[in-house]
Amino acid sequence: MKKKNRTPQYKKSRPKVEAPVDEEPAALKNAPHTFVIRRGERCSSVSRLSRDFRRMMEPFTASNLRERRINKVKDFVHLSGFFHVSHMCLFSLSSQTLSLKVIRMPKGPTLTFKVHQYTLAKDVISSTRKQYVDEECFQAAPLVILNSFSGEGKHLKLMASTFQNMFPPINLSKIKLSSLKRCVLLSYNPVSKLIDLRHYSITVVPVNLNRGVKKLVTRNIPNLGRFEDIADFVEKGHLLSESEVDDEDAHVVLAQNLKCGNLAENKSSLRLHEIGPRITMRLMKIEDELMTGEVLYHDYIEKDVLEVEAIRKKRAQQRRLKEQRKLKQEENLKKKDKDKEDHRAKTSAKQAKAGEITEQDKLLLKDAEEAVGELSDEDDREYYRKEIGDNPDEELFESAGGANRKRPFIPRGANYSLKPKKPRLDKRKQYEDDDRDARQDRKRRNNDGGKDTKGKGKFGRKGMKQDDFRGKSKYNGGGGKKQKGGTKKGGGKKSSKRK
């Protein structure tokens, strides 16, 4: 097996080419965009409801928006300007209720709805007998239909304008009927004050055609195994079963040609297929700013003029305090930056001053250079000639010029020191000599102890016995064995411990 080459392979440096950035058309950039997020307690059905609501708001919404618990509403507000987001829909689940907040970015107003009932898109589709879902219909914005929002009250007008502005407007002179494939119906009940939200898919079917021909035109061809010829299918098409009843109220005259046999100036039938979700909600309150402003409308709480005025004064005072704190923080930041600059300037000045050479240092350095320059090889050679009477060898003063001579002393006041480093002493030879002497002494004592010396004792001195030195040696730990009570065997004195 061939071994792999272990030499590193370096990538060739290629010039970086910036990808061309295509600017969005003005119509797409100015169209209303939405963020749909979820807050509060965790619930799988509410998470699914928020995803269905995003799908309903496509294509001008963030379908794959990632939201975490650490993200705050302020984070999405800061990003709204970059992504041209005009509205934010916030589902908030608490231990008691589920609420939907529709916020106009970036400064309000905020409409808060209480969700009474909701049905997910998958439940709506599974409940229908004839399921119909077209993925192409989500490529264009839906048509908004408002019902019974023309009553008295400013809150109704504000609700109607908010729902209309959440979707892009329609230009009747330029609109293509083929792009209108969905619709969102918002119906208001003035008695119960409930708002029903429904989402439908729109299909167009030609009218006054044989059922067999209609099946062929709409590409909904059944099993033709029981027919011998295509003519039998066309002639006996009235015998085919059709699930949906053709309502005359749904007949319209088309202004443009559509596919599947729908021609201009001909009658066609409009059919709606509910694709969900369903939401039944009620308006609770309207706030002036972004969820923290003055309450402009409340469903069941009413306050008199004095209470409203007191709340306004309190909010104005809080706003002033907030501005004062903000100004104070800015001043503190400026002061902190100024202190940093001053400290940096002082330290740099000290460093520059420490690195400068004063006049006294210059004189000392000049004297040192002159003193070093006076010593040369020529003086040594001349001295050798006078004293010996012969010329010196070349090897004698060969390395004298390159050797480090002792430099003159410089006082402590100078900033530069010309003292050479201390030479490193090699004490290994001295240690070896000491070890050798110690071995010789030990050998000599052993040889002397083995001889029979009469009257001299072990250490070779007259009048001294071996017991006289017991307890005085620092190697035998005091000479005798210890007994109880701290006394030693042999009658010697107590030896003091040496550390």
Side-chain angles (χ1 to χ4, degrees):
M1 184 177 179
K2 189 178 179 180
K3 293 183 178 180
K4 294 183 179 180
N5 189 10
R6 293 186 179 180
T7 57
Q9 297 179 358
Y10 300 101
K11 294 182 179 180
K12 296 180 179 179
S13 59
R14 297 178 181 177
K16 294 183 180 180
V17 181
E18 294 183 359
V21 180
D22 298 333
E23 293 186 359
E24 292 182 348
L28 296 178
K29 190 181 293 185
N30 297 330
H33 295 68
T34 57
F35 274 161
V36 181
I37 60 176
R38 178 181 53 82
R39 299 282 93 183
E41 298 181 0
R42 293 295 185 94
C43 182
S44 59
S45 60
V46 176
S47 302
R48 185 68 184 176
L49 178 63
S50 63
R51 289 196 293 270
D52 293 342
F53 202 89
R54 286 181 189 175
R55 190 169 176 80
M56 184 185 71
M57 302 298 295
E58 285 185 356
F60 300 105
T61 186
S63 303
N64 299 323
L65 180 65
R66 295 183 180 180
E67 49 182 348
R68 298 182 177 87
R69 295 180 67 87
I70 60 174
N71 296 129
K72 305 297 182 182
V73 178
K74 290 183 179 180
D75 301 337
F76 299 101
V77 174
H78 293 323
L79 292 174
S80 62
F82 180 76
F83 292 107
H84 310 287
V85 177
S86 59
H87 293 79
M88 183 165 62
C89 301
L90 190 147
F91 286 94
S92 179
L93 178 63
S94 65
S95 59
Q96 297 178 353
T97 58
L98 172 64
S99 61
L100 170 63
K101 294 184 179 182
V102 181
I103 306 169
R104 181 70 169 89
M105 308 294 281
K107 295 184 179 180
T110 303
L111 281 72
T112 304
F113 298 91
K114 180 182 178 181
V115 178
H116 288 263
Q117 295 177 355
Y118 67 90
T119 307
L120 301 179
K122 64 175 184 178
D123 298 331
V124 173
I125 294 173
S126 61
S127 63
T128 57
R129 189 170 63 86
K130 189 176 181 181
Q131 300 176 3
Y132 178 82
V133 178
D134 186 11
E135 295 295 334
E136 295 181 358
C137 65
F138 294 97
Q139 297 178 0
L143 178 68
V144 184
I145 302 173
L146 301 178
N147 183 26
S148 300
F149 280 91
S150 58
E152 295 182 358
K154 295 182 180 180
H155 62 284
L156 293 177
K157 296 180 180 179
L158 184 59
M159 273 197 300
S161 61
T162 301
F163 289 137
Q164 285 179 349
N165 294 329
M166 288 174 64
F167 301 92
I170 295 175
N171 191 353
L172 296 177
S173 61
K174 297 181 180 180
I175 189 65
K176 291 183 179 181
L177 296 180
S178 59
S179 63
L180 299 177
K181 295 183 178 181
R182 290 186 299 137
C183 69
V184 175
L185 174 63
L186 291 161
S187 179
Y188 176 73
N189 190 349
V191 178
S192 61
K193 297 182 181 181
L194 296 178
I195 302 170
D196 295 327
L197 185 145
R198 301 290 185 268
H199 186 209
Y200 298 97
S201 175
I202 304 173
T203 57
V204 184
V205 181
V207 187
N208 299 329
L209 292 178
N210 188 9
R211 290 184 180 178
V213 177
K214 189 184 295 184
K215 294 283 186 182
L216 293 175
V217 171
T218 56
R219 300 176 183 178
N220 190 13
I221 302 174
N223 186 12
L224 301 178
R226 55 181 174 172
F227 299 102
E228 296 181 358
D229 193 4
I230 190 68
D232 298 340
F233 172 71
V234 174
E235 291 175 359
K236 298 179 182 180
H238 62 281
L239 300 177
L240 299 173
S241 63
E242 190 170 5
S243 59
E244 296 185 7
V245 179
D246 200 1
D247 190 5
E248 293 184 358
D249 295 337
H251 292 178
V252 294
V253 178
L254 298 178
Q256 299 176 5
N257 292 332
L258 297 177
K259 61 180 182 179
C260 300
N262 298 287
L263 303 177
E265 305 299 334
N266 290 337
K267 281 189 178 183
S268 296
S269 176
L270 297 179
R271 294 177 182 177
L272 302 179
H273 306 273
E274 189 173 2
I275 56 178
R278 295 179 184 176
I279 299 177
T280 302
M281 53 189 178
R282 180 173 178 173
L283 179 66
M284 298 302 296
K285 64 177 179 179
I286 300 175
E287 296 175 275
D288 187 14
E289 296 177 2
L290 193 71
M291 297 191 298
T292 56
E294 180 183 355
V295 178
L296 302 178
Y297 168 81
H298 205 282
D299 187 26
Y300 55 88
I301 296 178
E302 294 183 1
K303 295 183 178 181
D304 55 3
V305 181
L306 296 177
E307 292 177 350
V308 172
E309 190 66 24
I311 292 172
R312 286 179 180 175
K313 289 181 179 180
K314 186 177 179 180
R315 288 187 177 276
Q317 185 179 2
Q318 290 178 354
R319 196 180 298 110
R320 285 195 299 269
L321 291 174
K322 187 176 180 180
E323 291 177 356
Q324 291 177 2
R325 287 196 298 268
K326 191 175 181 180
L327 291 174
K328 189 175 181 180
Q329 288 177 357
E330 292 177 356
E331 291 177 358
N332 292 337
L333 287 174
K334 290 180 180 179
K335 185 179 178 181
K336 191 174 181 180
D337 294 339
K338 187 178 179 182
D339 293 342
K340 285 183 179 179
E341 293 293 334
D342 296 342
H343 180 68
R344 193 179 293 112
K346 288 180 181 179
T347 53
S348 59
K350 287 182 180 179
Q351 291 176 0
K353 187 176 181 181
E356 290 180 358
I357 301 176
T358 60
E359 295 295 333
Q360 185 180 1
D361 296 340
K362 289 180 180 179
L363 293 174
L364 292 172
L365 290 172
K366 187 177 179 181
D367 296 341
E369 291 176 359
E370 291 178 356
V372 172
E374 290 175 356
L375 301 175
S376 61
D377 295 343
E378 296 296 333
D379 298 338
D380 296 339
R381 293 176 188 274
E382 187 65 27
Y383 177 78
Y384 186 87
R385 290 191 190 98
K386 289 180 179 180
E387 295 294 331
I388 305 300
D390 192 7
N391 292 326
D393 296 336
E394 294 295 334
E395 298 178 355
L396 187 61
F397 298 102
E398 183 177 1
S399 61
N404 293 329
R405 297 180 179 272
K406 188 176 180 181
R407 297 178 182 178
F409 173 74
I410 295 179
R412 291 185 179 179
N415 293 329
Y416 295 94
S417 176
L418 298 176
K419 290 183 179 180
K421 293 183 179 179
K422 292 183 179 180
R424 186 176 180 181
L425 301 177
D426 190 4
K427 296 183 178 180
R428 184 170 54 188
K429 187 176 181 180
Q430 181 180 353
Y431 295 152
E432 291 177 354
D433 295 341
D434 294 341
D435 294 341
R436 186 172 61 254
D437 296 340
R439 286 197 299 272
Q440 292 176 0
D441 293 341
R442 195 181 304 113
K443 187 176 181 181
R444 192 183 300 112
R445 286 198 302 269
N446 293 335
N447 293 334
D448 294 343
K451 295 179 180 180
D452 188 10
T453 55
K454 294 181 180 181
K456 291 186 179 181
K458 186 177 180 180
F459 296 95
R461 295 183 183 179
K462 288 184 177 182
M464 295 184 70
K465 297 182 181 180
Q466 186 176 357
D467 295 339
D468 295 339
F469 293 93
R470 185 171 294 173
K472 297 182 180 180
S473 175
K474 64 179 180 180
Y475 298 103
N476 55 13
K481 293 183 180 179
K482 290 185 179 180
Q483 294 181 353
K484 290 183 181 180
T487 60
K488 291 185 181 181
K489 198 173 182 180
K493 293 183 180 179
K494 243 184 186 180
S495 62
S496 59
K497 294 183 180 180
R498 297 181 181 179
K499 295 182 181 180

